[in-house]
Amino acid sequence: MNTLYTIIGLFALGAIIGIYLLTLVLQDKETPKAAAFVHGLFVVPAVIMLIVYITKNTPSPVESLVLFIIAALGGLVLIYRDLTGKKIPKWLAVVHGLAAVAGFAFLLVFTFGH
Amino acid sequence: MKKTVSIWEATAQAGTSFPTLNGSKEADVVIIGGGISGLSTAMLLTEAGKKVILLEALQVGLGTTGNSTGNLYVTVDEHLSVIKKKWGADTMKAVVGSRTEALNLIEATIRKHDLDCNFYRTSFNYFAEGTDKEIDAFIKDETDALTECGVKVNTGTNPGLSFNVTNSISVEGQAQFHPLKYIRSLAGKLKDKCEIYENSQVIDFDEDKGIVKTKDGSVKAAHVIMATHTPKGVYMVQTVLGPYREHGVAAELLSGDMPQGIFWGMNKPKHSVRCFNDGDKKYVMVIGDMYKTGQGEDTNEYIKKLEEYLRFRFSIGAITHTWGGQQYRPADGLPYIGKHGDAMYFLTGFATDGLVYGTLAAMIVSDMILGRKNKWEDTYKLNRFTPLKSFKEFFKENADNFVQYLKDTPWNTDVDTLKEIPAGEGRVIEKHGEKLAVYKDEHGVNHVCSAVCTHMKCIVNWNPAEKTWDCPCHGSRFKTNGQVIEGPAVIDLPAKKF
């Protein structure tokens, strides 16, 4: 269970920065790249830890992982488009955030609902 | 004192003025960039009967070429002994052989078109001051490398410098010229054979269709040549290039002498010294002490140090000219020249050897377009994969870029208020979560644009010596109004209101 708490903690930290980044994107403002990279530095280890947890435990929050992977793919597209000077689609930023929030909610339910 | 005007710009007569591109055009080849690479390519292709259009964002020759040393030599900044260790003797010999052909082409062009550009053959010299085992070992290795390439070398004696030299290498048969006179007179000769446009900054291009767009026009061509020092836009090749900057300082020689020749001081930091006669005035100049573009702490300090370097060695008057020049250092030591995709050609990674390498790149690329096999094209091919030779520099440059991104944190700015910006200076400031590059002119008027580089979104830094905004990641540089000067950025920094 300690692993899940760590994963939740990392996702929560990532989410705080993610909300900040999303507010900038929705206002058509440039995002501070340190914030974008630190956001990734929190959530990437969390996703890896979640994958490891799921491979070793039953039952496991598979739905949560699927949603986080969708969010991660969206995040990769967002950072690629941002760094290469292409316009960031606001809808993609919102979907990226919503997928992550949904994954986080499934994870909380799984962790604290058992 | 003239600030940030190279001695070449100050001593060259105004060249032919070229119009701005207007409307849609078609050509066999469109060349982006009016420096030595672009104009040499234009010359070779027009001679072969191709219809060529050349687009220069500013004025012909006033980019890197007009801020260079005017030195033409067959050795390289990376040093031949280092090339041999990395690539082997055959590649080292190919470097010297190819550069010899390029240097000969420059001389042949000058003779053929009777270009007035102060060209003369002279010696290339490495020199050391004081005793340094590392430099002595280098001089031995470099002497061996040059000799292996068939270059006649003299070592040990002072090559005519008026200050104390402890060790040296001299190579005869190299050359010097006035780079801006060369470019301007070459452009003048080409004006009836190809279309040249100035103040025609490329703002967009379609790689697949071969369409290049400027603010007021466009060109469609089968071949697009990026003779822009580093390709415009975002490309993988930029991960193996390091953008660096050096300043130059010139002053009149009051007494004593400075012989003709190319002189590279091997004590660290490296300096390149030469003289230049303009009428009855004899100038001595030094260029060196390079730093990564956008990362110089105070660029005025580099100029002060260069002045001290000259004053310590020569009897000079006031500093008459100061300027800066950019270079892109290749990770594996060799330039990247060749075809990218279906229609584009890149010519980049020349380090400080761009006058000769730029001409060589023109020879290679024009041969490729004309369907002729160039014997040097494999040595410098663009799409080579050399992880063992590149890794150290690749890692260093890209880790450094990542560090620059990590400095872009919220609220991390140079100043908090406009009042803190001195007149004539620029600072990065934040307003409503946006980083802004603010230049306060001498009259106290603020000129505001985004501080986010339009190439890959690093935060630009102020360059006080040249009054420009320089990107610390890939070397894009912008005027105080945000206009692109050089580097991979295509789009100007957007104007903002404070």
Side-chain angles (χ1 to χ4, degrees):
Chain A
M1 197 56 89
N2 280 341
T3 305
L4 285 178
Y5 291 154
T6 306
I7 292 168
I8 288 169
L10 287 170
F11 277 132
L13 289 169
I16 292 166
I17 301 171
I19 290 164
Y20 167 69
L21 293 170
L22 184 60
T23 58
L24 292 173
V25 170
L26 294 178
Q27 295 175 76
D28 289 318
K29 289 180 177 173
E30 294 288 352
T31 54
K33 297 301 166 284
F37 283 121
V38 170
H39 172 67
L41 287 176
F42 280 128
V43 299
V44 169
V47 170
I48 292 169
M49 287 172 73
L50 190 57
I51 292 169
V52 172
Y53 181 87
I54 287 171
T55 57
K56 289 184 176 175
N57 295 279
T58 309
S60 59
V62 177
E63 304 86 347
S64 175
L65 178 64
V66 170
L67 287 162
F68 276 125
I69 286 174
I70 291 169
L73 292 173
L76 284 173
V77 174
L78 289 172
I79 193 77
Y80 170 78
R81 290 189 69 87
D82 190 17
L83 292 183
T84 54
K86 296 180 175 72
K87 196 167 172 57
I88 296 177
K90 288 179 184 173
W91 67 265
L92 182 59
V94 172
V95 168
H96 164 73
L98 287 176
V101 167
F104 193 61
F106 270 102
L107 185 62
L108 290 176
V109 169
F110 176 83
T111 306
F112 299 109
H114 279 70
Chain B
M1 186 201 297
K2 288 185 180 176
K3 282 283 182 190
T4 62
V5 174
S6 78
I7 191 167
W8 312 123
E9 188 177 349
T11 56
Q13 291 179 330
T16 309
S17 287
F18 297 98
T20 301
L21 177 68
N22 213 312
S24 301
K25 303 266 181 185
E26 287 199 19
D28 296 322
V29 182
V30 58
I31 299 170
I32 306 169
I36 195 164
S37 305
L39 279 159
S40 302
T41 313
M43 176 187 75
L44 293 170
L45 289 172
T46 51
E47 281 175 357
K50 292 287 181 188
K51 184 181 179 187
V52 176
I53 291 178
L54 186 146
L55 304 174
E56 164 56 44
L58 303 168
Q59 280 87 47
V60 162
L62 288 187
T64 305
T65 303
N67 290 309
S68 66
T69 58
N71 291 334
L72 307 166
Y73 45 86
V74 300
T75 184
V76 288
D77 179 34
E78 179 84 2
H79 306 309
L80 292 175
S81 51
V82 177
I83 296 288
K84 185 184 175 185
K85 277 178 198 158
K86 265 190 183 177
W87 289 91
D90 288 346
T91 300
M92 175 184 72
K93 288 175 187 172
V95 167
V96 171
S98 59
R99 287 178 60 81
T100 301
E101 278 195 15
L103 205 165
N104 291 341
L105 175 65
I106 292 171
E107 184 173 23
T109 301
I110 291 165
R111 304 266 180 260
K112 180 179 174 185
H113 297 291
D114 194 23
L115 305 181
D116 175 18
C117 61
N118 307 81
F119 179 92
Y120 51 86
R121 288 280 180 174
T122 187
S123 63
F124 172 94
N125 307 271
Y126 288 111
F127 67 89
E129 297 171 274
T131 51
D132 185 320
K133 283 182 183 172
E134 201 177 316
I135 294 176
D136 289 345
F138 160 75
I139 284 181
K140 185 185 177 308
D141 289 348
E142 201 63 12
T143 303
D144 292 344
L146 282 159
T147 306
E148 193 175 345
C149 292
V151 179
K152 191 166 178 276
V153 180
N154 293 315
T155 57
T157 55
N158 188 327
L161 293 167
S162 57
F163 49 90
N164 189 33
V165 167
T166 51
N167 208 344
S168 71
I169 304 176
S170 289
V171 178
E172 295 301 324
Q174 311 305 296
Q176 288 180 316
F177 70 169
H178 189 305
L180 192 54
K181 282 186 182 176
Y182 175 75
I183 286 300
R184 282 182 173 169
S185 48
L186 182 58
K189 295 287 180 189
L190 289 174
K191 73 178 192 299
D192 298 327
K193 296 172 187 162
C194 76
E195 294 177 47
I196 299 175
Y197 296 97
E198 292 182 319
N199 300 304
S200 301
Q201 179 186 345
V202 170
I203 55 171
D204 196 11
F205 45 85
D206 185 324
E207 282 184 46
D208 300 323
K209 293 178 182 168
I211 297 174
V212 174
K213 292 176 184 168
T214 66
K215 185 170 164 252
D216 299 315
S218 66
V219 181
K220 187 175 190 312
H223 307 280
V224 181
I225 298 175
M226 290 259 199
T228 48
H229 216 193
T230 184
K232 291 283 182 188
V234 179
Y235 297 100
M236 281 302 287
V237 73
Q238 284 148 355
T239 64
V240 287
L241 294 172
Y244 287 82
R245 211 153 171 78
E246 287 180 308
H247 291 278
V249 164
E252 252 188 276
L253 199 59
L254 297 180
S255 61
D257 196 22
M258 171 67 192
Q260 281 188 339
I262 304 161
F263 294 90
W264 281 11
M266 296 317 298
N267 299 73
K268 288 178 182 171
K270 191 188 121 186
H271 293 90
S272 174
V273 189
R274 68 166 285 190
C275 65
F276 170 66
N277 295 333
D278 183 37
D280 58 351
K281 289 182 179 174
K282 182 156 193 169
Y283 292 98
V284 60
M285 71 186 87
V286 59
I287 294 161
D289 203 355
M290 72 174 182
Y291 59 91
K292 192 155 183 195
T293 302
Q295 296 187 27
E297 280 298 310
D298 177 354
T299 47
N300 282 316
E301 285 300 312
Y302 293 95
I303 289 173
K304 278 184 193 166
K305 284 181 190 169
L306 290 172
E307 181 179 351
E308 286 166 12
Y309 183 93
L310 279 186
R311 290 202 182 282
F312 187 73
R313 291 162 181 81
F314 302 97
S315 172
I316 55 168
I319 297 298
T320 51
H321 309 89
T322 66
W323 67 98
Q326 190 131 314
Q327 51 171 297
Y328 291 86
R329 303 187 73 81
D332 63 13
L334 294 178
Y336 300 91
I337 302 163
K339 197 169 186 182
H340 172 84
D342 294 331
M344 307 262 290
Y345 297 81
F346 292 167
L347 301 70
T348 190
F350 301 155
T352 61
D353 313 313
L355 294 172
V356 173
Y357 267 145
T359 307
L360 175 63
M363 294 160 69
I364 293 172
V365 165
S366 55
D367 275 350
M368 291 170 96
I369 288 171
L370 296 169
R372 301 190 298 227
K373 175 73 181 170
N374 185 294
K375 63 180 171 179
W376 313 114
E377 73 178 59
D378 289 339
T379 304
Y380 303 105
K381 66 183 174 189
L382 175 69
N383 298 321
R384 62 182 185 263
F385 180 59
T386 55
L388 294 177
K389 297 178 182 73
S390 307
F391 179 76
K392 188 178 161 194
E393 291 302 314
F394 171 86
F395 182 79
K396 187 183 97 178
E397 295 299 340
N398 291 285
D400 180 64
N401 288 347
F402 187 66
V403 169
Q404 298 308 317
Y405 281 125
L406 292 183
K407 288 180 183 172
D408 180 14
T409 56
W411 311 292
N412 179 17
T413 57
D414 297 333
V415 290
D416 295 324
T417 62
L418 292 175
K419 284 181 185 172
E420 295 172 67
I421 305 174
E425 294 288 328
R427 299 288 185 270
V428 172
I429 193 166
E430 189 168 292
K431 190 174 185 195
H432 300 316
E434 279 190 294
K435 290 204 169 63
L436 304 172
V438 181
Y439 168 65
K440 185 182 283 184
D441 68 22
E442 306 297 346
H443 306 291
V445 178
N446 293 312
H447 303 260
V448 187
C449 50
S450 169
V452 182
C453 178
T454 53
H455 176 235
M456 285 191 74
K457 307 288 184 78
C458 286
I459 301 299
V460 295
N461 287 326
W462 177 243
N463 173 346
E466 298 175 272
K467 298 201 186 306
T468 56
W469 295 105
D470 297 357
C471 177
C473 288
H474 300 96
S476 294
R477 298 180 61 243
F478 305 86
K479 292 182 180 178
T480 51
N481 65 2
Q483 187 188 355
V484 176
I485 300 169
E486 64 180 315
V490 178
I491 302 165
D492 298 341
L493 297 176
K496 295 278 181 180
K497 285 183 180 172
F498 192 85

